[in-house]
């Protein structure tokens, strides 16, 4: 039964990873940059949820959408203030585009961590749970109630995102801009607005991931580093910029890690993921799924 | 053809002279300041200046944006520490060994990531840095893990250490100046500005990129090794991403792709951080904000602002 247990737990963690990773993949899709502050979107979501619920006494189910709003606002603000130079004709910059993106997002990550550390304090908070039941039996597997709820909400969000990207006008515009920014804008799509939308959605999903996990992880200011590194591994594994690849790779990584931690080594679990990242980038830079799934 | 290199050399000569002037001022400090605390602060800022010069060679001059400078400082420090811990090797062997080991590892990493650019390169070097840190932090038997290693001191006197760092800084600066002035430097700049163009003009891109990696990592390794003997303790914390963030902050604030920029940036950032720490621990908030603002609005950094201020009055005079 251990194997089944590990499998289910791995899948659940994969769902959490996916919420972060799809946002990172979408940002890479439209701007071809890695957002090194993505873990801090997650952290801000976790804090928004915890502080709303604990300090303002807002019920947990209301605090969750508030955290989503906070994440979306942060993502939108970051795009408006810092990402514009990447695509509005600053081609002759001394500091090149890729370097600018790394420096600014890395700086933003440090800024947010230290701001929260200063304003809220370095101590971890314990978030309120969404459901009081501590153990739910799912056939032979016992699951923590909060974990199950969080997994269900994550799965719903991912399905919602997939439908949004496939079916809705805005979603298709995002796909178009990711495929060809110039072509999309010639076809009358407002690429600038679409990029803002991508950042808002990415920020929202990362924040929701943080908020859903807040009761399980007890957020502290540097809590985002760990899921961020997971997301880098996942977007590389799934093919940089591919949302579908990122979803599949998240589940794969979740399950693989869950088994690796038990059967091989817990301490080296993170190094294992990063090693995969290096190997994929070196030998198969298009990702495991290859070109075919790179629709976005 | 003949004008461009001269212009570059002239600018580089001014740059190098300014850097030497800054170091000369640093060398005079112990005559007036005897507080071991402030000398220690300056020594640590010189450690960062060395690491910043090393990273700048790779990112600023060659255009290879690595996220592993702190990891190489850690690896250099651990090479010296482990040689002493396991083999009781004297520092006269331990420090050169740190340079050799980090140069070899850096060259290897550079050769591995040869085809990668931009975000791909950043992610790969970041992974390398984190793997190195996790492995060192978890190999309790071999490295004593998070407890860190004790390293013997090179000398007793703090002033002695101070001048050792000043000397190493001058030597590194002169080596970089000589290289940047010659063929290697122009090849590196060509690779930074247009790798394909450089290759098509017959520049051995593989060789020069690998060389830049090896040299840059060796400078970081030397910095880490010296820092280890100064603090007499090395721990995996030397290789934290936060430390890399500090090095990047220093170079960006000081001015990327210059010789003075990294040194001035390291001094300004580290000294200011001591002040701001007393003013309520806001130093990291200030630097992170400063990095974003500099990258967004003053992309040439402090050195760029200074050179522009310097050239503006003369231009105005010419017009009048």
């Amino acid at each position: 039964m251990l194997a089944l247990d590990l499998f289910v737990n791995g899948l659940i963690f994969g769902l959490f990873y996916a919420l972060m990773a799809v946002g990172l993949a979408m940002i890479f899709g439209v701007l071809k940059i890695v957002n090194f502050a993505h873990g801090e979107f997650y952290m801000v979501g976790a804090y928004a949820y915890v502080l709303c619920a604990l300090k303002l006494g807002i019920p947990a189910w209301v605090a969750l959408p508030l955290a989503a709003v906070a994440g979306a606002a942060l993502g939108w603000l970051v795009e408006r203030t810092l990402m514009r130079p990447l695509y509005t004709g600053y081609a002759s910059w001394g500091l090149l585009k890729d370097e600018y993106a790394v420096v600014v997002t890395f700086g933003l990550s440090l800024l947010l961590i230290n701001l929260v550390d200063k304003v809220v304090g370095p101590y971890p908070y314990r978030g309120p749970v969404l459901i009081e039941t501590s153990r739910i039996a799912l056939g032979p597997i016992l699951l923590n109630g909060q974990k199950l709820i969080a997994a269900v909400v994550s799965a719903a969000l991912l399905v919602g995102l997939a439908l949004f990207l496939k079916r809705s006008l805005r979603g298709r515009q995002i796909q178009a801009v990711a495929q060809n920014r110039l072509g999309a804008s010639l076809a009358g799509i407002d690429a600038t607005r679409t990029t803002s939308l991508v950042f808002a959605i990415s920020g929202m999903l990362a924040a929701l991931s943080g908020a859903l996990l807040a009761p399980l992880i007890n957020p502290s200011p540097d809590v985002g580093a760990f899921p961020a590194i997971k997301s880098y591994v996942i977007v590389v594994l799934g093919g940089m910029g591919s949302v579908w690849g990122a979803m599949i790779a998240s589940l794969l990584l979740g399950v693989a890690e869950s088994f690796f931690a038990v059967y091989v080594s817990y301490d080296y679990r993170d190094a294992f993921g990063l090693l995969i990242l290096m190997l994929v980038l070196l030998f198969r830079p298009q990702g495991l799924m290859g070109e075919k799934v790179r629709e976005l | 053809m003949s004008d461009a290199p001269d212009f570059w050399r002239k600018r580089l000569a001014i740059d190098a002279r300014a850097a030497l002037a800054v170091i000369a001022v640093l060398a005079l400090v112990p005559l007036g300041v005897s507080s071991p605390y402030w000398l220690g602060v300056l020594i640590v800022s010189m450690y960062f200046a060395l690491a910043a010069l090393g990273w700048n060679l790779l990112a600023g001059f060659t255009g290879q944006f690595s996220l592993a400078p702190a990891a190489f400082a850690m690896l250099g420090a651990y090479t010296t520490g482990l040689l002493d811990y396991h083999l009781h090797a004297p520092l006269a062997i331990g420090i050169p060994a740190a340079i050799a080991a980090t140069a070899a590892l850096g060259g290897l990493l550079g050769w591995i990531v040869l085809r990668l650019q931009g975000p791909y390169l950043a992610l790969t070097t970041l992974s390398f840095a984190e793997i190195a840190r996790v492995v060192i932090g978890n190999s309790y038997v071999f490295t004593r893990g998070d407890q860190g290693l004790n390293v013997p001191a090179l000398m007793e006197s703090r002033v002695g250490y101070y001048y050792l760092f000043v000397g190493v800084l001058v030597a590194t600066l002169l080596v970089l100046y000589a290289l940047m002035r010659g063929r290697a430097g122009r090849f590196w700049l060509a690779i930074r500005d247009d790798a394909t163009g450089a290759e098509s003009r017959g520049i051995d891109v593989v060789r020069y990129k690998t060389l830049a990696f090896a040299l840059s990592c060796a400078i970081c390794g030397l910095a880490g090794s010296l820092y280890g003997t100064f603090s007499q303790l090395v721990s995996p914390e030397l290789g934290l991403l936060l430390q890399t963030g500090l090095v990047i902050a220093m170079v960006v604030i000081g001015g990327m792709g210059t010789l003075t920029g990294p040194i001035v940036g390291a001094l300004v950032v580290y000294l200011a951080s001591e002040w701001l720490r007393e003013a309520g621990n806001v130093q990291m908030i200030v630097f992170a904000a400063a990095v974003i603002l500099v990258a967004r609005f003053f992309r040439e950094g402090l050195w760029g602002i200074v050179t522009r201020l310097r050239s503006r009055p003369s231009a105005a005079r010419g017009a009048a």
Side-chain angles (χ1 to χ4, degrees):
Chain A
M1 272 301 96
L2 178 63
L4 186 63
D5 215 43
L6 287 177
F7 183 75
V8 172
N9 265 297
L11 274 186
I12 290 179
F13 269 97
L15 284 172
F16 301 151
Y17 292 162
L19 274 190
M20 288 272 294
V22 290
L24 204 63
M26 281 166 66
I27 290 177
F28 189 87
V30 294
L31 284 184
K32 310 291 177 270
I33 62 157
V34 176
N35 173 22
F36 283 100
H38 211 63
E40 281 55 54
F41 290 177
Y42 169 96
M43 182 266 294
V44 165
Y47 267 94
Y49 172 75
V50 170
L51 294 180
C52 276
L54 292 184
K55 300 267 152 133
L56 305 177
I58 295 170
W61 282 102
V62 183
L64 197 62
L66 286 179
V69 170
L74 179 66
W76 180 80
L77 192 70
V78 166
E79 201 279 330
R80 283 301 297 249
T81 53
L82 298 176
M83 297 301 147
R84 290 284 157 97
L86 289 172
Y87 56 88
T88 40
Y90 290 61
S92 58
W93 276 39
L95 199 65
L96 302 164
K97 180 193 153 191
D98 294 329
E99 280 75 23
Y100 173 77
V102 179
V103 167
V104 160
T105 55
F106 216 86
L108 184 68
S109 152
L110 288 180
L111 180 66
L112 288 172
I113 292 176
N114 288 288
L115 264 181
V116 170
D117 188 286
K118 184 73 194 163
V119 175
V120 187
Y123 314 106
Y125 275 87
R126 187 171 186 81
V129 288
L130 290 168
I131 184 171
E132 284 303 330
T133 327
S134 59
R135 284 266 179 271
I136 294 175
L138 239 160
I141 306 156
L142 276 179
L143 279 178
N144 178 310
Q146 170 72 22
K147 214 188 216 175
L148 188 65
I149 293 280
V152 170
V153 175
S154 307
L157 283 167
L158 289 172
V159 171
L161 178 74
L163 287 175
F164 169 75
L165 288 176
K166 276 271 184 215
R167 298 285 165 80
S168 76
L169 178 66
R170 292 250 176 257
R172 281 153 179 259
Q173 288 182 343
I174 291 177
Q175 294 205 41
V177 173
Q179 280 166 16
N180 185 339
R181 174 174 283 271
L182 182 64
S185 46
L186 287 177
I189 296 171
D190 188 342
T192 306
R193 205 148 155 224
T194 309
T195 313
S196 296
L197 181 66
V198 164
F199 266 78
I201 295 175
S202 304
M204 182 188 79
L205 290 176
L208 276 171
S209 175
L212 286 169
L213 287 179
L216 301 168
I217 51 167
N218 301 341
S220 58
D222 56 356
V223 74
F226 175 76
I229 285 182
K230 300 289 163 216
S231 320
Y232 305 149
V233 177
I234 288 161
V235 291
V236 168
L237 204 60
M240 302 271 272
S242 156
V243 169
W244 325 118
M247 289 190 188
I248 299 168
S250 304
L251 300 179
L252 267 179
L253 185 77
V255 173
E257 263 187 357
S258 155
F259 280 89
F260 186 89
V262 171
Y263 290 111
V264 186
S265 157
Y266 185 82
D267 290 336
Y268 288 99
R269 195 180 36 154
D270 299 345
F272 162 74
L274 290 167
L275 193 64
I276 295 181
L277 185 154
M278 283 184 82
L279 292 177
V280 172
L281 274 184
L282 293 173
F283 296 110
R284 209 178 151 74
Q286 71 272 39
L288 283 189
M289 267 55 97
E291 286 292 328
K292 272 189 190 150
V293 279
R294 291 188 73 177
E295 284 172 33
L296 197 140
Chain B
M1 176 66 208
S2 61
D3 282 356
D6 282 349
F7 175 67
W8 160 247
R9 282 190 177 180
K10 216 177 269 172
R11 222 175 64 180
L12 194 70
I14 296 173
D15 191 359
R17 251 177 262 154
L20 279 175
V22 172
I23 303 176
V25 173
L26 266 180
L28 293 176
V29 167
L31 303 180
V33 176
S34 56
S35 136
Y37 170 72
W38 280 107
L39 286 184
V41 166
L42 282 171
I43 290 173
V44 178
S45 30
M46 283 192 277
Y47 153 70
F48 275 114
L50 274 174
L53 274 177
W55 182 73
N56 177 56
L57 168 64
L58 203 49
F61 287 136
T62 321
Q64 306 298 307
F65 210 93
S66 151
L67 288 180
F72 277 96
M74 175 191 71
L75 289 169
Y78 264 95
T79 310
T80 311
L82 287 171
L83 277 173
D84 173 71
Y85 182 65
H86 288 292
L87 303 174
H88 305 291
L91 289 174
I93 297 174
I95 295 175
I99 302 178
T102 46
L105 262 176
L108 182 69
L109 179 69
W111 182 75
I112 290 176
V113 299
L114 216 49
R115 288 178 307 155
L116 303 176
Q117 307 169 336
Y120 299 90
L121 179 72
L123 279 180
T124 313
T125 47
L126 178 132
S127 307
F128 174 86
E130 283 293 284
I131 291 174
R133 192 176 61 81
V134 170
V135 167
I136 285 185
N138 282 314
S139 312
Y140 306 102
V141 185
F142 189 60
T143 64
R144 305 210 322 149
D146 291 332
Q147 289 182 319
L149 276 179
N150 290 315
V151 184
L154 207 54
M155 57 189 106
E156 284 293 305
S157 127
R158 186 151 282 207
V159 179
Y161 258 113
Y162 189 91
Y163 281 108
L164 173 72
F165 272 89
V166 169
V168 172
L169 202 54
V170 170
T172 310
L173 183 73
L174 292 179
V175 168
L176 283 176
Y177 175 60
L179 282 170
M180 288 317 296
R181 202 166 177 277
R183 171 193 289 255
R186 257 175 283 153
F187 284 3
W188 283 330
L189 293 175
I191 293 172
R192 175 189 74 183
D193 294 339
D194 181 356
T196 321
E199 185 139 36
S200 71
R201 294 296 294 270
I203 294 177
D204 190 344
V205 173
V206 172
R207 188 164 149 205
Y208 278 93
K209 256 194 198 176
T210 320
L211 198 67
F213 261 97
L215 193 61
S216 156
C217 296
I219 296 174
C220 292
L222 170 66
S225 170
L226 290 176
Y227 179 78
T229 72
F230 168 67
S231 65
Q232 299 184 33
L233 176 79
V234 297
S235 76
E237 283 189 18
L238 266 180
L240 281 176
L241 271 184
L242 177 75
Q243 302 278 329
T244 292
L246 267 179
V247 172
I248 294 178
M250 288 160 176
V251 177
V252 170
I253 290 175
M256 260 177 100
T258 66
L259 293 169
T260 317
I263 300 175
V264 171
L267 289 171
V268 167
V269 167
Y270 200 78
L271 287 177
S273 90
E274 285 302 306
W275 257 339
L276 293 169
R277 205 192 309 273
E278 281 159 27
N281 250 330
V282 290
Q283 70 275 18
M284 284 314 293
I285 300 175
V286 173
F287 296 138
V291 166
I292 295 173
L293 289 177
V294 168
R296 181 79 175 76
F297 298 110
F298 315 96
R299 57 188 191 277
E300 284 155 345
L302 287 176
W303 178 240
I305 295 173
V306 170
T307 45
R308 208 174 300 162
L309 286 181
R310 241 177 54 102
S311 63
R312 197 165 290 160
S314 63
R317 233 177 286 133

